[in-house]
Amino acid sequence: MAQQLDYHTIREIFTRFHAAEPEPKGELHHVNAYTLVVAVALSAQATDAGVNKATARLFEIADTPEKMLALGEAGLIEHIKTIGLFRNKAKNVIKLSQILVEQYGGAVPCSRAALQSLPGVGRKTANVVLNMWWRYPAQAVDTHIFRVGNRTGLCPGKDVVAVERAIEDNVPVDFQQHAHHWLILHGRYICVARKPKCGACLIRDLCQFEEKTE
């Protein structure tokens, strides 16, 4: 685990990320808060591209919890059976849809605790929804962010919660809104797991990773 970078270095790193991509976006397709919750829940142990392919038709016919319940678990499975763990995910989506209808009038709640109470929705999913839909500066730490945070020294931590707190504590507030998107995209396309593309890296000179590639 790299040592925590200092404030000025962190600000320079995010200044570069911002210059390269001022408004980074999540790659999961959605049309409202409900479809965002479903898409993120489906994305566990699956690629965003795979989820987008599966939900393209699904969200045309079931973009509210009421419509999802009308579709039913069997109907949902037909749309998402190309995604890993689709049977369990289908059960969770139907259950969370039922809860949204019965307890929240069909609306998606905007608190982390309420979101995490839904089946199949963990802290990461809740933070993605809070960030992307309600523009709350929540930090959704996935494997990409965990890797980048520890390799670079931007936000080191021994687990995802520690990395989340390191981002909240050390990233300047003006970069908090988009911090997790910049880090996810950096980890997904540049600071990849097996052979990071250090030669194409915007922050190579500021990164603490010792085993840099050419």
Side-chain angles (χ1 to χ4, degrees):
M1 184 189 300
Q3 293 295 310
Q4 176 71 58
L5 294 172
D6 63 73
Y7 171 83
H8 297 291
T9 303
I10 292 173
R11 172 163 281 284
E12 174 60 23
I13 285 172
F14 281 97
T15 297
R16 294 182 190 182
F17 284 154
H18 178 269
E21 183 64 73
E23 289 286 330
K25 298 288 193 294
E27 296 182 324
L28 284 172
H29 297 165
H30 59 284
V31 296
N32 54 29
Y34 172 71
T35 54
L36 178 58
V37 171
V38 173
V40 182
L42 294 176
S43 72
Q45 299 181 47
T47 65
D48 287 1
V51 173
N52 289 340
K53 186 175 181 180
T55 58
R57 174 67 180 140
L58 172 64
F59 290 160
E60 289 180 2
I61 62 175
D63 60 354
T64 69
E66 293 85 355
K67 291 177 183 177
M68 191 67 76
L69 291 172
L71 179 64
E73 188 175 322
L76 173 56
I77 284 174
E78 284 303 305
H79 287 276
I80 67 169
K81 60 187 178 182
T82 55
I83 300 173
L85 308 175
F86 66 90
R87 292 187 190 281
N88 191 53
K89 290 176 179 178
K91 284 186 174 65
N92 284 335
V93 168
I94 294 300
K95 286 178 183 176
L96 73 83
S97 299
Q98 189 76 46
I99 291 170
L100 290 176
V101 170
E102 293 177 353
Q103 298 183 22
Y104 299 98
V108 175
C110 58
S111 83
R112 183 184 286 119
L115 286 165
Q116 284 188 247
S117 73
L118 300 173
V121 176
R123 187 179 182 87
K124 185 187 80 171
T125 297
N127 282 347
V128 170
V129 176
L130 290 172
N131 182 286
M132 290 180 63
W133 193 257
W134 282 288
R135 307 289 290 178
Y136 180 79
Q139 307 302 331
V141 177
D142 67 354
T143 55
H144 296 303
I145 294 182
F146 185 79
R147 179 175 64 255
V148 172
N150 280 291
R151 268 185 183 169
T152 61
L154 263 172
C155 42
K158 60 185 178 181
D159 56 41
V160 293
V161 174
V163 170
E164 180 183 326
R165 287 174 179 160
I167 297 173
E168 292 172 346
D169 290 346
N170 296 290
V171 174
V173 68
D174 47 326
F175 294 123
Q176 287 274 338
Q177 177 64 49
H178 294 312
H180 93 276
H181 279 134
W182 281 314
L183 294 171
I184 285 173
L185 295 172
H186 190 65
R188 185 173 289 166
Y189 299 111
I190 301 297
C191 196
V192 295
R194 294 190 178 179
K195 191 176 181 182
K197 301 172 184 178
C198 300
C201 179
L202 287 172
I203 62 170
R204 177 190 172 104
D205 58 314
L206 304 174
C207 170
Q208 290 195 22
F209 186 52
E210 294 181 356
E211 301 170 29
K212 290 186 175 72
T213 62
E214 294 304 321

